[in-house]
Coordinates of all heavy atoms in Angstrom, one line a residue:
Y32 N 96.9 116.3 82.6 CA 98.2 116.5 83.3 C 99.3 116.3 82.2 O 99.3 115.4 81.4 CB 98.3 115.4 84.4 CG 99.6 115.4 85.1 CD1 99.9 116.3 86.1 CD2 100.7 114.5 84.7 CE1 101.1 116.3 86.7 CE2 101.9 114.6 85.3 CZ 102.1 115.5 86.4 OH 103.3 115.4 87.0
T33 N 100.3 117.2 82.3 CA 101.4 117.1 81.4 C 102.7 116.9 82.2 O 103.7 116.4 81.6 CB 101.6 118.4 80.6 OG1 101.9 119.5 81.5 CG2 100.3 118.7 79.8
G34 N 102.8 117.3 83.4 CA 104.0 117.2 84.2 C 104.9 118.3 84.0 O 106.1 118.4 84.6
Y35 N 104.6 119.3 83.1 CA 105.4 120.5 82.9 C 105.0 121.6 83.8 O 103.9 122.1 83.8 CB 105.3 120.9 81.5 CG 106.1 122.2 81.2 CD1 107.5 122.1 81.0 CD2 105.4 123.4 81.2 CE1 108.2 123.3 80.8 CE2 106.2 124.6 80.9 CZ 107.6 124.5 80.8 OH 108.3 125.6 80.6
V36 N 106.0 122.0 84.6 CA 105.7 123.2 85.5 C 107.0 124.1 85.5 O 108.0 123.6 85.1 CB 105.5 122.7 87.0 CG1 104.1 122.0 87.1 CG2 106.6 121.9 87.5
E37 N 106.8 125.3 85.8 CA 107.9 126.2 85.8 C 107.8 127.1 87.1 O 106.7 127.4 87.6 CB 108.0 127.1 84.6 CG 106.8 127.8 84.2 CD 106.8 128.6 82.9 OE1 107.9 128.4 82.2 OE2 105.8 129.3 82.5
V38 N 108.9 127.6 87.6 CA 109.0 128.4 88.8 C 108.1 129.7 88.5 O 108.3 130.3 87.5 CB 110.4 128.8 89.1 CG1 110.4 129.8 90.3 CG2 111.2 127.5 89.5
G39 N 107.3 130.0 89.5 CA 106.4 131.1 89.3 C 105.1 130.8 88.6 O 104.2 131.6 88.5
G40 N 105.0 129.7 87.9 CA 103.9 129.2 87.1 C 102.9 128.4 88.0 O 103.1 128.2 89.2
R41 N 101.9 128.0 87.3 CA 100.8 127.2 88.0 C 101.2 125.8 88.3 O 102.0 125.2 87.5 CB 99.5 127.2 87.1 CG 99.0 128.6 86.8 CD 97.8 128.5 86.0 NE 96.8 127.5 86.5 CZ 95.5 127.7 86.5 NH1 95.0 128.8 86.0 NH2 94.7 126.8 87.0
P42 N 100.8 125.2 89.4 CA 100.9 123.8 89.5 C 100.2 123.0 88.5 O 99.3 123.5 87.9 CB 100.4 123.5 91.0 CG 100.2 124.9 91.6 CD 100.0 125.9 90.4
D43 N 100.7 121.7 88.4 CA 99.9 120.8 87.6 C 99.3 119.7 88.4 O 100.0 119.3 89.4 CB 100.9 120.2 86.5 CG 100.2 119.6 85.3 OD1 98.9 119.7 85.3 OD2 100.8 119.1 84.4
V44 N 98.1 119.3 88.1 CA 97.4 118.4 89.0 C 97.0 117.1 88.3 O 96.5 117.2 87.2 CB 96.1 119.0 89.6 CG1 95.4 118.1 90.5 CG2 96.5 120.4 90.4
R45 N 97.2 116.0 88.9 CA 96.8 114.7 88.4 C 96.0 114.0 89.3 O 96.3 113.8 90.5 CB 98.1 113.9 88.1 CG 97.8 112.6 87.3 CD 99.2 111.9 86.9 NE 98.9 111.2 85.6 CZ 99.9 110.7 84.9 NH1 101.2 110.7 85.3 NH2 99.6 110.0 83.8
E46 N 94.9 113.5 88.8 CA 93.9 112.7 89.7 C 94.1 111.2 89.3 O 93.9 110.8 88.2 CB 92.4 113.1 89.3 CG 92.1 114.6 89.6 CD 91.9 114.9 91.0 OE1 91.9 114.0 91.9 OE2 91.9 116.2 91.4
L47 N 94.4 110.5 90.4 CA 94.6 109.1 90.3 C 93.6 108.3 91.2 O 92.9 109.0 92.0 CB 96.0 108.6 90.8 CG 97.2 109.3 90.0 CD1 98.5 108.9 90.7 CD2 97.2 108.9 88.6
P48 N 93.4 107.1 91.0 CA 92.5 106.3 91.9 C 93.1 106.5 93.4 O 94.1 106.0 93.7 CB 92.6 104.8 91.5 CG 93.0 105.0 90.0 CD 93.9 106.1 90.0
G49 N 92.3 107.1 94.2 CA 92.7 107.2 95.6 C 93.6 108.3 96.0 O 93.9 108.6 97.1
L50 N 94.2 109.0 94.9 CA 95.3 110.0 95.2 C 95.3 111.1 94.2 O 95.1 110.9 93.1 CB 96.7 109.3 95.2 CG 97.9 110.0 95.7 CD1 97.8 110.2 97.3 CD2 99.1 109.3 95.3
T51 N 95.5 112.3 94.7 CA 95.7 113.5 93.9 C 97.1 113.9 94.0 O 97.6 114.1 95.1 CB 94.7 114.6 94.2 OG1 93.4 114.2 94.1 CG2 94.9 115.9 93.4
I52 N 97.8 114.1 92.9 CA 99.2 114.6 92.9 C 99.1 116.1 92.4 O 98.6 116.4 91.2 CB 100.1 113.8 91.9 CG1 100.1 112.3 92.4 CG2 101.4 114.3 91.9 CD1 100.7 111.4 91.4
T53 N 99.8 117.0 93.1 CA 100.0 118.3 92.7 C 101.5 118.6 92.6 O 102.1 118.5 93.6 CB 99.2 119.3 93.6 OG1 97.9 119.0 93.7 CG2 99.4 120.7 93.1
K54 N 101.9 118.9 91.4 CA 103.3 119.2 91.2 C 103.5 120.6 91.0 O 102.8 121.4 90.2 CB 103.8 118.4 89.9 CG 105.2 118.7 89.5 CD 105.6 117.9 88.3 CE 107.0 118.1 87.9 NZ 107.4 117.4 86.6
I55 N 104.6 121.2 91.7 CA 104.9 122.6 91.6 C 106.4 122.8 91.5 O 107.2 122.0 92.1 CB 104.3 123.4 92.9 CG1 104.5 124.9 92.7 CG2 105.0 122.9 94.1 CD1 103.7 125.7 93.7

Side-chain angles (χ1 to χ4, degrees):
Y32 178 83
T33 66
Y35 177 77
V36 292
E37 56 185 1
V38 175
R41 298 178 55 137
D43 203 1
V44 179
R45 186 172 212 171
E46 300 284 351
L47 302 175
L50 190 72
T51 299
I52 300 170
T53 303
K54 177 181 181 179
I55 189 171

